[in-house]
């Protein structure tokens, strides 16, 4: 048992370093995380489980919306059980168009699951990240030097989500998923043209 724990710890340390390597592009880093990231979970939610990196803590949890804390940054984590449930009947759709005008914009697909990431320069020293994958998303605002780590951490968490079909079906039947419609949002800083950096019409083009 001790040998397993030691090996696992080494893997996590080595994996994090590999993902964060400056030689990896953002696209390759995301792909590496999703394809070879943790295949287990360590945190339970209502109808789902996920892997929470050891340097993260849960600051707040409200049904399917969580605020995770890491290195002084709040990661706003929304678990979309409705999106996952609708995907079973092909009623889930992501309408996201890559925007070459922002700091980074990328649409991807792994394991037959679509996702995207958008990173915008808030012009205040912070970069605002939204990453959607595996029917859920994370939003966080970080300084430029921490962008890559925040992207990797978000990919690790989102790709690790394991949904419980039986529990979700019961929640759907009892209409206990209404609360998932209200989500946390990062405070919206103003940009030069006085439009919100996370403007819904422009930034969040996801719909079911």
């Amino acid at each position: 048992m001790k040998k397993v724990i030691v090996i696992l710890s080494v893997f996590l340390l080595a994996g994090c370093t590999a993902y964060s390597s400056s030689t990896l592009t953002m696209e390759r880093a995301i792909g590496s995380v999703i394809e070879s990231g943790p295949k287990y979970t360590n945190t339970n939610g209502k109808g789902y489980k996920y892997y929470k990196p050891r340097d993260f803590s849960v600051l707040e949890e409200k049904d399917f919306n969580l605020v995770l804390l890491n290195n002084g940054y709040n990661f706003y984590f929304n678990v979309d059980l409705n999106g996952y449930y609708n995907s079973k009947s092909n009623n889930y759709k992501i309408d996201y168009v890559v925007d070459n005008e922002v700091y980074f914009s990328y649409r991807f697909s792994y394991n037959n699951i679509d996702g995207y990431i958008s990173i915008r320069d808030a012009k205040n020293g912070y970069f605002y990240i939204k990453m959607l994958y595996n029917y859920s998303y994370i939003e966080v605002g970080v300084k430029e030097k921490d962008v890559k780590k925040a992207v990797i951490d978000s990919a690790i968490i989102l790709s690790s989500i394991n949904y419980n079909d039986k529990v979700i079906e019961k929640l759907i039947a009892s209409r206990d998923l209404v609360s998932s419609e209200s989500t946390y949002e990062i405070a919206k800083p103003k940009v030069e043209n006085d439009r919100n950096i996370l403007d819904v019409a422009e930034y969040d083009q996801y719909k079911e």
Side-chain angles (χ1 to χ4, degrees):
M1 183 67 180
K2 290 183 179 179
K3 185 182 292 184
V4 173
I5 293 174
V6 171
I7 292 174
L8 181 58
S9 298
V10 171
F11 168 77
L12 288 175
L13 288 172
C16 185
T17 301
Y19 296 147
S20 301
S21 171
S22 60
T23 61
L24 283 181
T25 64
M26 196 80 76
E27 293 90 342
R28 288 187 61 191
I30 292 170
S32 296
V33 170
I34 294 176
E35 292 177 348
S36 60
K39 306 301 179 185
Y40 61 95
T41 59
N42 60 8
T43 308
N44 294 325
K46 194 174 182 180
Y48 67 96
K49 301 177 182 178
Y50 68 99
Y51 173 74
K52 179 173 64 65
R54 59 185 178 180
D55 56 346
F56 274 67
S57 60
V58 178
L59 186 64
E60 187 176 350
E61 182 172 2
K62 189 180 299 181
D63 295 322
F64 313 105
N65 304 289
L66 300 90
V67 180
L68 306 180
L69 179 64
N70 172 256
N71 195 30
Y73 298 126
N74 289 347
F75 286 68
Y76 297 83
F77 179 24
N78 176 252
V79 181
D80 187 1
L81 299 188
N82 281 312
Y84 170 77
Y85 181 79
N86 289 332
S87 72
K88 298 296 184 179
S89 56
N90 296 318
N91 289 327
Y92 178 87
K93 184 179 180 182
I94 294 176
D95 288 336
Y96 178 76
V97 178
V98 171
D99 185 354
N100 295 321
E101 299 299 318
V102 300
Y103 181 81
F104 183 75
S105 178
Y106 178 51
R107 180 166 178 160
F108 53 88
S109 181
Y110 293 98
N111 304 318
N112 295 316
I113 302 174
D114 292 333
Y116 71 81
I117 180 171
S118 177
I119 305 176
R120 294 173 180 266
D121 184 352
K123 310 297 183 183
N124 63 354
Y126 282 80
F127 289 75
Y128 286 80
I129 302 166
K130 179 171 183 177
M131 184 173 188
L132 183 147
Y133 180 69
N134 201 9
Y135 315 106
S136 297
Y137 66 82
I138 287 176
E139 290 182 294
V140 61
V142 301
K143 294 182 179 179
E144 186 172 18
K145 66 182 179 64
D146 298 317
V147 165
K148 196 168 190 178
K149 183 181 185 304
V151 169
I152 289 170
D153 287 335
S154 297
I156 288 173
I157 294 169
L158 292 172
S159 63
S160 74
I161 302 173
N162 188 337
Y163 297 94
N164 187 318
D165 289 348
K166 291 184 178 180
V167 172
I168 294 173
E169 287 173 2
K170 290 181 180 179
L171 292 172
I172 292 288
S174 64
R175 298 184 178 182
D176 195 25
L177 286 180
V178 177
S179 58
S180 67
E181 296 175 359
S182 57
T183 61
Y184 288 111
E185 293 184 349
I186 296 174
K188 299 180 174 65
K190 297 294 183 178
V191 293
E192 291 178 354
N193 61 1
D194 201 37
R195 297 182 66 185
N196 286 334
I197 195 70
L198 301 183
D199 185 78
V200 173
E202 182 177 342
Y203 184 71
D204 185 7
Q205 301 181 50
Y206 152 74
K207 66 180 182 180
E208 295 176 0

